[in-house]
Amino acid sequence: MRFHKAEIAFFVFMLLLMAACGALYIALQGLDASHTGALDSVHAGVRTMIYAAGGLLFTGIVFGAFFIFPLIRTQVQEGGKLREMTQTLSARSETLEQAALTDGLTGMQNRRYFDDALKEYLNEFRRINKPIGLLVLDLDHFKSVNDTHGHDVGDQVLREVAGCLKNFTRYHDIAARLGGEEFAVVAPNMDVESLAKFAERIRKAVSDLVIQSGNVRLKVTTSVGVAVWDGHEDADGFYRRADRMLYQAKRQGRNRVCAA
């Protein structure tokens, strides 16, 4: 059995009380050994005080053992249960927080996480004066996939595309599903040229996917809008500029990359 610090302190206190009782007993023995008739009245008074002190100490030991220690033990056990409950609730809170930031269908980060992370990246990269790239992707004609093959197949397509994005992004990139068939990637330390090449690799990888769901076998494409942060615009302005490039790619025929 492991003891709490409070319990150990109580045991030490009880040992001190017992040691005091022992010291009184030794003093009483010495008093009896030094007995002389001339000092009988003094010895009797001292003996009475020793007995009284010993009785009080013994009472304190009994009271501590049968009343105080059980209270300490109960409080320690309740404190332990409370700590366990707090840890459980904290872990559950972290799980719920993680769930709130994760897209349930694809396992990617969601729009809330993306918005917060993009702002954090802009604040940090403004300080170190480094570029940040942003890709906004939208699957082409995705509505027809749902209408023709059903939402189960559509969900499988989204999961496959999400897996493709995870495979092509770096550990410090942010890949998120913004909603529906729209995705985004924040790619730090990339200029326009390297970012456009990166986006083209992703576009081609998505177009090379073959989605198999039951008897259905199909391919999808994506349009990609690309923008590199100008160092001044806020997160909303930066996103809108990349989004405009996305719609330009849509207008130009889809399955292509357009960079600002």
Side-chain angles (χ1 to χ4, degrees), residues 3-116:
F3 293 102
H4 190 268
K5 289 181 180 180
E7 294 174 307
I8 296 174
F10 174 79
F11 293 148
V12 173
F13 176 70
M14 293 290 282
L15 287 174
L16 291 174
L17 289 181
M18 287 186 230
C21 285
L24 286 176
Y25 177 76
I26 293 171
L28 184 61
Q29 294 298 312
L31 185 64
D32 289 338
S34 63
H35 176 272
T36 61
L39 296 175
D40 277 349
S41 61
V42 175
H43 285 180
V46 173
R47 188 181 293 108
T48 300
M49 293 178 64
I50 291 175
Y51 279 129
L56 289 174
L57 286 173
F58 180 75
T59 302
I61 291 171
V62 172
F63 184 77
F66 291 98
F67 292 95
I68 297 178
F69 179 73
L71 290 175
I72 293 175
R73 189 65 182 163
T74 299
Q75 289 179 352
V76 168
Q77 291 174 343
E78 290 177 352
K81 292 178 181 178
L82 182 60
R83 282 192 297 273
E84 291 178 3
M85 186 183 301
T86 301
Q87 292 172 354
T88 300
L89 290 175
S90 178
R92 188 176 300 172
S93 177
E94 290 179 3
T95 301
L96 290 173
E97 178 67 16
Q98 181 63 30
L101 299 175
T102 304
D103 176 58
L105 177 64
T106 63
M108 302 182 77
Q109 307 298 345
N110 63 13
R111 181 62 184 258
R112 175 183 167 188
Y113 182 95
F114 168 81
D115 288 341
D116 292 343

Side-chain angles (χ1 to χ4, degrees), residues 232-258:
H232 302 289
E233 57 197 344
D234 61 12
D236 290 338
F238 185 28
Y239 172 80
R240 285 196 297 269
R241 189 155 56 87
D243 196 48
R244 286 196 296 271
M245 292 299 100
L246 167 64
Y247 281 96
Q248 182 173 320
K250 293 282 190 182
R251 288 193 297 270
Q252 291 180 2
R254 295 182 171 83
N255 191 25
R256 67 188 63 234
V257 174
C258 281

Side-chain angles (χ1 to χ4, degrees), residues 3-226:
F3 293 102
H4 190 268
K5 289 181 180 180
E7 294 174 307
I8 296 174
F10 174 79
F11 293 148
V12 173
F13 176 70
M14 293 290 282
L15 287 174
L16 291 174
L17 289 181
M18 287 186 230
C21 285
L24 286 176
Y25 177 76
I26 293 171
L28 184 61
Q29 294 298 312
L31 185 64
D32 289 338
S34 63
H35 176 272
T36 61
L39 296 175
D40 277 349
S41 61
V42 175
H43 285 180
V46 173
R47 188 181 293 108
T48 300
M49 293 178 64
I50 291 175
Y51 279 129
L56 289 174
L57 286 173
F58 180 75
T59 302
I61 291 171
V62 172
F63 184 77
F66 291 98
F67 292 95
I68 297 178
F69 179 73
L71 290 175
I72 293 175
R73 189 65 182 163
T74 299
Q75 289 179 352
V76 168
Q77 291 174 343
E78 290 177 352
K81 292 178 181 178
L82 182 60
R83 282 192 297 273
E84 291 178 3
M85 186 183 301
T86 301
Q87 292 172 354
T88 300
L89 290 175
S90 178
R92 188 176 300 172
S93 177
E94 290 179 3
T95 301
L96 290 173
E97 178 67 16
Q98 181 63 30
L101 299 175
T102 304
D103 176 58
L105 177 64
T106 63
M108 302 182 77
Q109 307 298 345
N110 63 13
R111 181 62 184 258
R112 175 183 167 188
Y113 182 95
F114 168 81
D115 288 341
D116 292 343
L118 181 58
K119 292 175 183 177
E120 290 291 332
Y121 266 54
L122 294 187
N123 290 334
E124 185 64 23
F125 277 71
R126 181 181 289 110
R127 185 179 63 82
I128 62 177
N129 195 29
K130 294 289 185 180
I132 299 179
L134 176 60
L135 280 59
V136 180
L137 307 87
D138 190 86
L139 299 184
D140 300 323
H141 303 297
F142 183 72
K143 185 177 182 300
S144 65
V145 173
N146 284 330
D147 292 344
T148 303
H149 304 289
H151 287 280
D152 288 344
V153 175
D155 290 348
Q156 182 63 29
V157 170
L158 293 173
R159 284 191 289 265
E160 294 279 353
V161 172
C164 181
L165 289 177
K166 291 177 184 177
N167 290 336
F168 271 80
T169 49
R170 303 163 296 177
Y171 73 94
H172 55 275
D173 294 336
I174 299 170
R177 181 187 175 205
L178 303 185
E181 65 272 27
E182 188 175 8
F183 300 84
V185 177
V186 179
N189 291 324
M190 281 195 176
D191 57 23
V192 174
E193 183 178 356
S194 58
L195 188 66
K197 291 179 180 178
F198 177 51
E200 180 60 28
R201 289 196 299 271
I202 290 178
R203 183 205 63 77
K204 186 176 186 307
V206 171
S207 67
D208 289 341
L209 286 174
V210 178
I211 291 89
Q212 185 78 39
S213 181
N215 296 325
V216 178
R217 180 184 173 91
L218 56 87
K219 295 170 72 69
V220 294
T221 61
T222 184
S223 301
V224 188
V226 173

